[in-house]
Amino acid sequence: MQKLRSFFTSTLLLFFVVSISAQVNPNQPIPTDPKMIKGTLPNGLTYYIKENKKPEKKVELRLVVKVGSIVEDDDQQGLAHMAEHMAFNGTKNFKKNDIVSFLQGIGVEFGGDLNAYTGFDETVYILPIPTSQPTNLEKGFQILEDWAHNVTYLDEDINSERAIILEESRLGKSGDERMFKKVYPELFKGSKYANRIPIGIDSIIKTFNPDAIRRFYKEWYRPDLMAVVVVGDITPDEAKKMITKHFAGLTNPSSPRKREYATVPAYNENKAMVVTDKEATNLEFNISYPAFPYKKATTLGEYRKELLNNLYASMLGSRMRELTQKENPPFIYAFAGFGNYAKNYNSFSVQGSTGTNDIKKGMDAALEELERAIRFGFTEAELERARKNTLSAYENSYNNRDKTESAAFADEYIRNFTDNESVPGISAEFDQVKLLLPTITIAEVNAVAEIFKNEKNRFSYVTGPEASATVKLPTSENIIALLDAKANDKTIKPYEEKAIAAALLTKEPKAGKVISSKKDAVLGTTELVLSNGVKVSLKITDFKNDQILFAGSRYGGLTNYGIKDKYSAENAASMVSSMGVGGFSPTDLKK
């Protein structure tokens, strides 16, 4: 009878998956959030508008320029980043320091609220404007316009800014940065990314002709490569009017330079590096597989593939986290997944850190988990947990959709412009996830490994402190041999799914009584006193729609203990919180 029931259950599940799959048209475009307005001015400038009243009386403005250090000429290395700095050094309508002074005067903190950043492929200016005064918004748009085409680039401003850029470079000269600069050219060998780190080259910053940065600004700061993002407590009509007033007059060069994206060739050898620095404190490892061309999902079929990759990485990460809960764990952390610095490319990598412990042991353990997943795949129970975790995350965002702050929407629209990331809105995306997750099978998830499992050419590296009596380092040859050995290790066995109890409590507690209830009108709380003497303070809030926070405390603490128990008492709470509960280990609890 049990076998018959299992047969019917499996058949019903198969029918359910097949019937849902039939509803999914892989070529169906991912929709665009109807509450977001996206348009293009005649000069090619793209704009995004969304009315959002979280927080009230505030508008988030962004100027996005689809260029960064990757487009620099050889004599301009570091000048994309410096051009971002120069925007605060004086424009046609704002003398030097006037922008910062005005914004600080209306409550915008420089470096906190007001900011900017330069990457390999984009430069973004961040300008939040409080709208308590009607004139603030007009001035905010004027600042954004000036950054787009009215930066003055006076010789004295350029020369004074050199020292600031060099100081920023000096402050970044940590052990991690020095090691990164050795690794990066090999990580992106054969690509322009290998020698276009945004901070640039100190010698060029010190000596470049001011005309080089003016040339960069003139050639690349142009409307066909720009987007203006307006999100906040503003009507779409008002936002469109401001955008048209301040940006419709911008013009493109008569012979614009072509915006080209750098290519990233695949590795042509299996190579490893060990890079050390006297200031480094942790041993870390990275195994990178070759980059491959990639574009963001624009159809349901492409979105489903992204879900598959994410589920694979999630399940592999869960297995690696289990190892951190073991006695004498092989690493502090380790994870694997897809991602890349390079625009229009993706790659798979495994990363981790062993602190100051045996880095070879950590790499061996991470590679063993990867090989186990490649060879034997994941279990249905693991997939079901990953599905639930994914669905829960989207459900949480959906339930709090009316609490999303404007800055989060602005970031999403920036990615749409720079990376062509879809913007369906959380309601549509939640519907997509609910539709697609049940159609994903364990066989499909396990097949994700086909992307990288037979790849022999990888770039691996270890970074950390210099070798000593306590720090043991592998050689490059050791690392390569370790990778090859794992692929041929016959002792690796399939993952074993441990049976977990269904309930935290073996015995339900006996309920007590509420003895008294008292309201505090000032705090908006209700205090209950229970029959066992415990006091409970309750407060209803609307910060999030599906969250309850609770905590407990009691009088006592370190002063109750003598000096011999000092360290035990200090660490007791953190140790207990990292342990399991009842018969559940920390790993069991996560499951």
Side-chain angles (χ1 to χ4, degrees):
M1 188 66 178
Q2 182 63 42
K3 289 183 178 178
L4 189 60
R5 188 181 296 118
S6 297
F7 170 77
F8 280 123
T9 301
S10 300
T11 304
L12 184 62
L13 178 62
L14 179 62
F15 173 77
F16 177 66
V17 170
V18 170
S19 63
I20 289 185
S21 298
Q23 299 172 28
V24 178
N25 176 6
N27 297 318
Q28 180 181 327
I30 296 173
T32 299
D33 183 0
K35 295 181 180 178
M36 182 270 290
I37 298 169
K38 179 181 179 181
T40 307
L41 297 179
N43 58 13
L45 183 137
T46 304
Y47 61 84
Y48 299 82
I49 300 170
K50 185 179 178 70
E51 185 174 5
N52 186 58
K53 296 187 182 298
K54 289 287 181 181
E56 294 181 347
K57 295 185 177 180
K58 187 177 182 181
V59 175
E60 294 285 348
L61 301 180
R62 303 287 187 269
L63 175 67
V64 189
V65 191
K66 207 183 290 188
V67 290
S69 58
I70 209 72
V71 303
E72 294 168 340
D73 295 330
D74 289 342
D75 66 336
Q76 294 175 324
Q77 292 180 65
L79 300 194
H81 172 238
M82 189 167 178
E84 169 221 308
H85 275 239
M86 291 301 299
F88 298 92
N89 270 328
T91 67
K92 176 182 176 182
N93 295 290
F94 297 90
K95 294 180 181 178
K96 187 172 184 177
N97 298 323
D98 281 0
I99 290 177
V100 175
S101 297
F102 161 69
L103 292 170
Q104 288 178 335
I106 63 173
V108 178
E109 181 186 355
F110 184 61
D113 306 313
L114 168 69
N115 217 323
Y117 62 86
T118 303
F120 289 100
D121 288 285
E122 62 271 331
T123 304
V124 179
Y125 296 88
I126 301 167
L127 182 57
I129 297 291
T131 58
S132 49
Q133 296 295 324
T135 56
N136 289 353
L137 196 58
E138 173 62 42
K139 273 200 170 182
F141 271 95
Q142 185 62 66
I143 291 170
L144 220 62
E145 180 197 340
D146 274 23
W147 286 342
H149 74 141
N150 282 330
V151 179
T152 48
Y153 285 99
L154 302 177
D155 277 4
E156 57 266 33
D157 293 336
I158 293 171
N159 291 328
S160 65
E161 195 64 28
R162 294 180 198 264
I164 295 171
I165 299 292
L166 290 168
E167 177 63 9
E168 187 175 332
S169 174
R170 185 190 71 80
L171 290 173
K173 286 181 178 6
S174 62
D176 287 342
E177 188 261 0
R178 286 189 291 271
M179 292 187 294
F180 176 77
K181 281 193 171 180
K182 292 177 182 177
V183 165
Y184 204 78
E186 291 296 329
L187 189 63
F188 284 102
K189 190 172 184 177
S191 171
K192 198 174 182 181
Y193 282 99
N195 55 12
R196 283 297 185 274
I197 296 176
I199 195 63
I201 298 174
D202 288 356
S203 59
I204 290 179
I205 298 299
K206 289 176 184 177
T207 61
F208 74 86
N209 187 311
D211 284 339
I213 193 168
R214 295 185 187 115
R215 184 176 83 242
F216 182 90
Y217 185 70
K218 182 179 179 181
E219 289 180 339
W220 297 116
Y221 275 61
R222 61 192 205 226
D224 66 323
L225 295 176
M226 287 180 177
V228 171
V229 179
V230 184
V231 185
D233 198 354
I234 183 174
T235 66
D237 286 344
E238 185 181 5
K240 177 68 184 300
K241 191 182 299 181
M242 288 280 195
I243 292 169
T244 303
K245 175 182 176 181
H246 287 280
F247 295 94
L250 274 64
T251 58
N252 292 296
S254 55
S255 300
R257 285 184 67 172
K258 184 179 179 182
R259 171 59 166 105
E260 295 180 333
Y261 291 88
T263 57
V264 181
Y267 301 132
N268 57 16
E269 60 179 334
N270 194 13
K271 185 170 184 177
M273 288 178 70
V274 178
V275 182
T276 63
D277 191 276
K278 61 184 178 181
E279 291 183 7
T281 56
N282 290 317
L283 286 163
E284 298 181 349
F285 61 85
N286 184 301
I287 301 133
S288 292
Y289 289 74
F292 53 87
Y294 167 80
K295 71 181 186 71
K296 290 285 186 179
T298 57
T299 66
L300 281 185
E302 291 167 346
Y303 187 78
R304 191 174 182 276
K305 286 181 181 178
E306 287 190 356
L307 280 176
L308 282 167
N309 291 352
N310 292 339
L311 288 168
Y312 188 94
S314 171
M315 288 186 279
L316 186 54
S318 293
R319 287 190 181 181
M320 291 183 179
R321 279 194 299 275
E322 283 188 32
L323 295 182
T324 66
Q325 299 296 325
K326 292 183 177 293
E327 184 180 1
N328 299 317
F331 40 66
I332 297 172
Y333 70 83
F335 61 92
F338 294 89
N340 214 313
Y341 286 104
K343 189 74 68 182
N344 303 321
Y345 284 86
N346 208 351
S347 69
F348 183 79
S349 65
V350 182
Q351 302 174 47
S353 172
T354 60
T356 56
N357 293 327
D358 186 352
I359 191 71
K360 190 176 178 182
K361 177 183 176 183
M363 291 185 75
D364 184 82
L367 286 168
E368 183 165 321
E369 285 309 312
L370 177 61
E371 184 61 28
R372 193 189 321 279
I374 290 172
R375 201 177 298 177
F376 303 107
F378 295 97
T379 66
E380 287 285 358
E382 289 177 292
L383 175 57
E384 185 57 25
R385 284 194 297 271
R387 280 199 195 107
K388 286 180 178 177
N389 287 335
T390 301
L391 192 62
S392 177
Y394 278 97
E395 185 177 25
N396 180 268
S397 296
Y398 174 78
N399 288 341
N400 288 289
R401 60 195 180 282
D402 60 335
K403 304 292 191 293
T404 306
E405 296 210 349
S406 299
F409 287 119
D411 289 342
E412 196 174 0
Y413 303 154
I414 290 169
R415 295 193 299 272
N416 176 264
F417 181 65
T418 59
D419 299 327
N420 199 33
E421 180 179 304
S422 298
V423 188
I426 187 57
S427 295
E429 191 163 6
F430 187 35
D431 286 341
Q432 289 171 195
V433 170
K434 287 187 291 185
L435 177 68
L436 295 173
L437 276 178
T439 73
I440 291 174
T441 66
I442 192 66
E444 289 179 295
V445 174
N446 290 335
V448 169
E450 297 294 332
I451 297 173
F452 57 85
K453 76 173 186 179
N454 294 318
E455 182 56 62
K456 301 301 181 186
N457 294 329
R458 294 150 293 194
F459 174 61
S460 308
Y461 59 92
V462 167
T463 59
E466 297 169 342
S468 66
T470 56
V471 176
K472 305 297 182 184
L473 294 172
T475 64
S476 300
E477 292 74 18
N478 291 154
I479 295 172
I480 292 172
L482 183 62
L483 267 67
D484 292 338
K486 277 301 159 193
N488 299 304
D489 188 348
K490 305 301 182 185
T491 67
I492 298 175
K493 297 178 180 179
Y495 176 80
E496 292 185 8
E497 184 70 39
K498 177 186 172 184
I500 300 174
L504 282 173
L505 301 177
T506 55
K507 183 180 179 181
E508 288 291 325
K510 185 178 179 180
K513 295 181 179 180
V514 176
I515 293 176
S516 66
S517 174
K518 183 175 64 175
K519 292 186 180 295
D520 186 321
V522 176
L523 296 177
T525 59
T526 299
E527 185 178 272
L528 309 178
V529 178
L530 307 183
S531 54
N532 60 2
V534 171
K535 293 179 179 179
V536 182
S537 183
L538 306 175
K539 183 179 176 68
I540 297 174
T541 66
D542 60 358
F543 302 131
K544 291 192 176 181
N545 294 341
D546 65 345
Q547 183 185 73
I548 297 173
L549 299 178
F550 58 95
S553 62
R554 63 177 293 173
Y555 289 110
L558 296 178
T559 54
N560 286 352
Y561 296 89
I563 191 68
K564 70 184 181 65
D565 293 318
K566 170 181 166 59
Y567 294 110
S568 294
E570 280 182 341
N571 292 292
S574 60
M575 289 181 69
V576 169
S577 66
S578 66
M579 295 178 181
V581 176
F584 292 78
S585 71
T587 299
D588 295 339
L589 283 172
K590 287 180 181 297
K591 290 182 178 180

